[in-house]
Amino acid sequence: MARVVLTLMCGLSFSGKSTVARELAGRLDAELISLDAINLERGLDGGQGIPVDEWAKTNRIAHGRATTLLRAGRHVVIDDTGSPRFIRDEWRAAASRAGTAFALVWVQIDPELQRERVRANRSDLSRHDVVDAVLAEHTAGFENPIDEDPIIIDARHTTSEQDLNDIVTKLRTKS
């Protein structure tokens, strides 16, 4: 890669963002920053609903960690929903201030597949549950990044070698 890249994941809950984020971080030798992991460090469970001021604190922690890593020349993948536009714009600005490139990876999921994944998770609890009220609020407030030149991957293909390799190729050409 010519320049360091800050890659922000974007998408609804249960779309596979974390799966893609882990894969990209490994393939790019990038640092992975998960806002869910930061919330857990702080004793918070996002799936149960977190007050906005607590999300803001988590976001500040993530920005601090990312800035330190970017300035040290490390690629960074941010595992978050990237839901509202202003959050994505803040990450773009952070990349710009650090003198790095920015990329947005949007994992798109249709509502039926999301419901299937939620039901399956509630059966096996492979990850923390997200209660229906939080899912509904998140879905209602999600702002699609249609006009932001995202790199798009379908939720059904989050483990596809070809799709992941295509994303890595696109990230390596960011400048």
Side-chain angles (χ1 to χ4, degrees):
M1 266 185 247
R3 280 176 72 186
V4 171
V5 178
L6 185 152
T7 302
L8 175 63
M9 302 306 300
C10 178
L12 293 172
S13 297
F14 292 92
S15 61
K17 295 178 307 297
S18 295
T19 299
V20 175
R22 280 189 303 273
E23 282 295 321
L24 295 178
R27 293 167 190 239
L28 297 167
D29 189 29
E31 299 294 332
L32 177 62
I33 297 176
S34 164
L35 274 77
D36 284 342
I38 294 170
N39 278 331
L40 287 175
E41 289 170 18
R42 299 182 61 229
L44 303 169
D45 182 353
Q48 303 305 304
I50 296 176
V52 173
D53 61 325
E54 292 300 330
W55 268 110
K57 288 178 188 174
T58 296
N59 202 42
R60 283 193 297 276
I61 292 167
H63 272 263
R65 291 177 184 179
T67 297
T68 299
L69 291 164
L70 293 169
R71 289 186 176 153
R74 299 287 297 148
H75 302 290
V76 175
V77 176
I78 304 296
D79 182 12
D80 188 26
T81 63
S83 177
R85 172 76 183 244
F86 81 89
I87 293 287
R88 298 188 298 266
D89 289 343
E90 287 175 358
W91 283 111
R92 272 187 199 84
S96 178
R97 283 190 303 274
T100 66
F102 175 83
L104 182 65
V105 175
W106 182 14
V107 185
Q108 294 181 334
I109 189 166
D110 67 71
E112 182 52 38
L113 179 57
Q114 184 188 39
R115 283 189 293 276
E116 287 174 24
R117 289 181 177 181
V118 169
R119 282 192 300 270
N121 183 68
R122 288 178 179 167
S123 294
D124 67 17
L125 292 176
S126 59
R127 61 168 272 189
H128 289 285
D129 188 27
V130 179
V131 297
D132 291 337
V134 171
L135 278 170
E137 181 180 346
H138 172 56
T139 300
F142 188 81
E143 298 177 68
N144 291 333
I146 294 167
D147 65 342
E148 299 175 57
D149 193 30
I151 299 169
I152 299 172
I153 183 170
D154 186 282
R156 289 179 176 84
H157 303 136
T158 58
T159 59
S160 160
E161 285 296 315
Q162 183 61 54
D163 287 6
L164 291 166
N165 287 337
D166 289 348
I167 293 171
V168 167
T169 297
K170 290 174 184 174
L171 292 173
R172 287 189 171 138
T173 61
K174 284 284 179 185
S175 58

